[in-house]
Amino acid sequence: IEVFNPTTYTWTMNGNIGLKFRRATDLSDKTIQINYLNSSLPSNSYYLFANTGTVVAGSEIVDADAVWAAGNPTSDFPYFATQSNIIPIDSDGGDEGGGGVKLYKVSNGAVIDQVGWSSVFHAAPFSETAPVIETSTGLSRNEVYARFASTDGINPGYGPAYDSNDNSVDFYDYSIVNGPPHGSFSGTKVVISGTPAVGAVVSCTDGLSSSDIAISSGNPPYAFFSLVDVATGSWTVLITSGAYSLEKSSVSIPDPGGSVYTLDSAATFLTQDNNTGMIAGRIINVFGAPLNGMKVTSGGANSTNTNTDGRYRLRVSPGTVDITANPAVGGNAAYVTVSSQTISVAAGEVHAGVDFTLYQGGRISGSVTRDGSAGLPGVAVSILDANSIAKDQQVTGSDGSFLSVVLSTGYYIAQPTVGMLETVTPISSTVTIVGMGTTYFSSTFTVSGALGYITGTVKSGGLPIKTGVLIVVTTATLSGTPPAPPDLSTATLTGSPYYLVSSMENGIYTAEVRNGALYNVYSYYPKAGSSSAVILSSKTTGVSVTAGQTTSGVNFSW
C-alpha cells in the first residue's frame, strides 16, 4: 500500500497514522498491526507499507517504510499466517478479491482517505462515492489501483494527489504491474492537483464584475468558474471555500472586447487558512450614480473605500456584524451616514448585496450652557425629524457644544434632554437643512437649576466601608446627636432640599444636586457594637457645586 503526502508539512507516521482493511465479506474494519521502519513522511513524498522489508517487484528491489507486524491475527486476516497476505486476491478463492483500505488517525479514528473495490458477488464494503469498478474477478494478481495525479490521469512526474472523493474516477485500474511501488526512496513529486473546490466563491476587486460560484465540470471533475465583465486593469482575485482561501494579486486584464484570462490551474491551490468573511456591496446616490471613495466600516480599524463604480469589499470576522457606510468620523460630510445591522457572515463566506443609497445633507450644531455663556457638558441633545422620529442623539462636550451626524436635507428639531429638576430655555429649536456639506447652528440652550455632583469616600480604620453609609446633602443645618434629618412629609416639599444617597461596596458615593448653593454634607455609619448598633456621624459644611461639574474629595472616615 502506497501513501503519498500532498501537504506542505511532514506527517509523523509511527503511532499516529495507521491502516484498516475490510474484506468484502467482513462485517467490520480490521486494524492492521504495523512495524514502522521510518517514523515520518515528508511533504510531497511517498511511504510504502508492505509484507516484507525488501520488496521485489517489476524486476526491481525496493525498501519498505513499514511492514505488517507478526501479531496480526488470522481471524482478521486469514491468509497472513500462510502467505503473509493482509489483502487477499481473487485466486485465494471463496469470492475473495473485494475489500477496502482506510488511512486513519490513530488518536481519534478520523479517516484521512479510503478506497474500496468489489469482488464478483460482493460489493465493496466501503468507498468514496462509487468504488473502483471491477466487473469480473475483483482484485487479481499483478493488478494495481493507482490514484490520478490530476484530471489528465496518471503521470509519473507528479504526485498522485487528485481526489474528487469518488474512487471510480480518482483511480486507474492497471491490470498488469508495469513498475515497482513507490516509497521514501522515490524522492519528492510536484503536486498539481487536489480536491476540486466545488462551491467556492470567487470574486474580483475590479468593482464591476459580480462574484461567481465554482461548479463541477468534466469527468474527472474539476471546479470551474467564470467572472464576466471584469474591468481592464490589475486586480486581486479572492477564492474562498470553507476553511481555506486564496488571494491572487496582480491579475491583469489588459484590454476589453471579450478577452479571456485563465488563472494558472497549477498554482490555484486554496492553502490559506480562511478565518474571515467578506461583505460586498455598492454605494450610490439618490440618482443612482456610484459614489467613489466612500468609507465603509464594521468598527475599529476594519474599513475600506468604494472604487470608481461605487463597489466595496470589506473583510470581517465571522459572526454577526454591523456595517456603516460613510461613518461620521472619517466620512464625507456632504452625505448622510447609513448603517446595515446584524449581517451574519461565516468564515470563508462572501455576503454580497449589502448596498447603500446615500442622501446629500448637512449637520446641526448648537451649545448648552448654564448661564448663557458657560458651557454645560454631558447633556443629551436629540435631533428629531418632522414626524418626531429621532434621527440622531449627541452629548455635549466639555465646552457644552454638540454636532450631529450628517442628516439628509429637510426639517429637524434640536431638543436637549434634562432632568426632572431642571428647565431648559428654549425647550427646542427648529432647523431646516437645505445645502449639502453645510453645518446649521440650532440655538444656545440655557439650563436652569442644572445639576452637579458631590463625590467622596467613606472609610473605617483606613479601609473602605462595604456595608453602606447614608449620605444626606442639604442646605439646612441639622441638630442632635447624631444630627437628625426631618421626617419626610408634604411639609418638606416647601422647605430646604434634601438629597439622600448610599455609598457603594467600594466605599465611594456620588450625590446629584442642584447648583447655586452651599451645601452641608452629613454621613451616617451604622456600626455593630457588642449589644446593639451604634450610628457614627460626621459632616462637612460649605460645599459648593457647579452645574455639570463634580465636586470631589468630600470624604469621611472613622
Side-chain angles (χ1 to χ4, degrees):
I1 300 175
E2 292 178 7
V3 173
F4 180 76
N5 175 8
T7 70
T8 57
Y9 51 90
T10 296
W11 294 357
T12 299
M13 302 295 288
N14 189 1
N16 186 47
I17 295 179
L19 293 167
K20 292 184 180 182
F21 174 71
R22 190 196 301 187
R23 297 155 61 209
T25 56
D26 284 341
L27 298 179
S28 61
D29 300 341
K30 311 299 181 182
T31 300
I32 304 175
Q33 298 182 31
I34 298 169
N35 289 333
Y36 294 86
L37 305 179
N38 289 327
S39 295
S40 60
L41 172 54
S43 171
N44 296 354
S45 300
Y46 289 93
Y47 195 93
L48 178 61
F49 295 90
N51 63 338
T52 178
T54 302
V55 179
V56 180
S59 72
E60 293 191 34
I61 301 175
V62 297
D63 294 328
D65 296 297
V67 297
W68 315 138
N72 281 289
T74 56
S75 58
D76 291 343
F77 309 104
Y79 305 97
F80 182 69
T82 57
Q83 304 176 24
S84 298
N85 283 351
I86 290 292
I87 301 175
I89 57 176
D90 65 325
S91 59
D92 289 323
D95 195 33
E96 297 285 11
V101 174
K102 290 180 179 178
L103 186 72
Y104 77 102
K105 290 185 177 181
V106 176
S107 60
N108 56 14
V111 176
I112 302 172
D113 197 14
Q114 62 182 8
V115 60
W117 56 94
S118 304
S119 64
V120 177
F121 299 110
H122 291 86
F126 53 76
S127 63
E128 290 184 346
T129 312
V132 176
I133 301 301
E134 184 59 53
T135 58
S136 56
T137 62
L139 182 63
S140 303
R141 189 178 303 277
N142 292 326
E143 188 174 16
V144 175
Y145 298 140
R147 180 178 289 280
F148 285 0
S150 69
T151 53
D152 288 335
I154 301 294
N155 189 322
Y158 300 110
Y162 177 75
D163 188 4
S164 69
N165 297 310
D166 186 341
N167 289 165
S168 65
V169 295
D170 296 345
F171 284 81
Y172 183 79
D173 179 7
Y174 282 103
S175 58
I176 299 296
V177 175
N178 60 356
H182 299 86
S184 58
F185 53 85
S186 302
T188 60
K189 297 290 184 179
V190 175
V191 175
I192 60 171
S193 71
T195 297
V198 176
V201 177
V202 187
S203 59
C204 179
T205 59
D206 69 305
L208 181 61
S209 61
S210 298
S211 61
D212 191 30
I213 297 178
I215 62 173
S216 178
S217 181
N219 188 30
Y222 56 90
F224 174 81
F225 70 89
S226 177
L227 299 182
V228 298
D229 297 329
V230 180
T232 58
S234 182
W235 314 108
T236 295
V237 174
L238 176 65
I239 308 175
T240 62
S241 178
Y244 299 97
S245 66
L246 171 68
E247 190 169 298
K248 197 171 183 64
S249 60
S250 301
V251 176
S252 180
I253 306 300
D255 53 53
S259 299
V260 177
Y261 181 96
T262 302
L263 292 183
D264 181 6
S265 60
T268 311
F269 286 94
L270 309 187
T271 58
Q272 301 164 359
D273 289 336
N274 189 26
N275 54 8
T276 62
M278 180 172 287
I279 303 290
R282 195 173 186 224
I283 299 179
I284 59 176
N285 63 19
V286 292
F287 304 106
L291 295 177
N292 181 31
M294 285 293 178
K295 186 176 181 180
V296 184
T297 180
S298 63
N302 193 15
S303 64
T304 188
N305 292 318
T306 59
N307 58 23
T308 55
D309 195 48
R311 298 185 183 275
Y312 73 91
R313 287 178 175 84
L314 177 65
R315 286 186 180 275
V316 296
S317 298
T320 301
V321 296
D322 298 337
I323 302 299
T324 300
N326 194 39
V329 178
N332 187 327
Y335 290 88
V336 300
T337 298
V338 181
S339 295
S340 184
Q341 298 179 333
T342 62
I343 300 172
S344 179
V345 184
E349 178 187 1
V350 178
H351 189 120
V354 183
D355 302 331
F356 299 93
T357 299
L358 300 188
Y359 292 81
Q360 295 177 345
R363 293 186 173 189
I364 296 174
S365 66
S367 63
V368 179
T369 72
R370 60 174 174 264
D371 55 8
S373 60
L376 189 60
V379 177
V381 181
S382 298
I383 308 297
L384 311 176
D385 65 9
N387 298 311
S388 297
I389 297 175
K391 292 301 182 180
D392 187 27
Q393 179 169 292
Q394 298 292 329
V395 177
T396 58
S398 59
D399 62 350
S401 65
F402 67 89
L403 179 64
S404 75
V405 298
V406 178
L407 302 165
S408 59
T409 55
Y411 173 88
Y412 294 94
I413 302 170
Q415 181 175 295
T417 301
V418 296
M420 294 180 60
L421 301 177
E422 300 172 312
T423 58
V424 59
T425 304
I427 296 175
S428 62
S429 174
T430 60
V431 177
T432 301
I433 297 176
V434 294
M436 73 172 186
T438 303
T439 298
Y440 295 83
F441 186 79
S442 58
S443 180
T444 296
F445 299 93
T446 300
V447 177
S448 300
L451 300 176
Y453 303 90
I454 298 174
T455 184
T457 62
V458 291
K459 296 182 179 181
S460 177
L463 299 176
I465 298 173
K466 297 182 178 181
T467 55
V469 172
L470 176 65
I471 305 295
V472 177
V473 182
T474 179
T475 57
T477 300
L478 305 180
S479 60
T481 305
D487 294 332
L488 297 180
S489 66
T490 55
T492 59
L493 297 177
T494 59
S496 301
Y498 290 86
Y499 305 93
L500 284 73
V501 296
S502 179
S503 63
M504 297 180 292
E505 188 178 359
N506 60 1
I508 298 175
Y509 75 88
T510 300
E512 187 178 41
V513 300
R514 270 184 178 171
N515 76 314
L518 293 178
Y519 288 98
N520 300 320
V521 183
Y522 296 86
S523 60
Y524 300 87
Y525 172 33
K527 184 176 182 180
S530 58
S531 58
S532 62
V534 177
I535 297 179
L536 303 180
S537 178
S538 184
K539 71 175 182 178
T540 299
T541 61
V543 178
S544 63
V545 177
T546 302
Q549 305 295 319
T550 298
T551 300
S552 59
V554 184
N555 305 325
F556 299 96
S557 61
W558 293 271

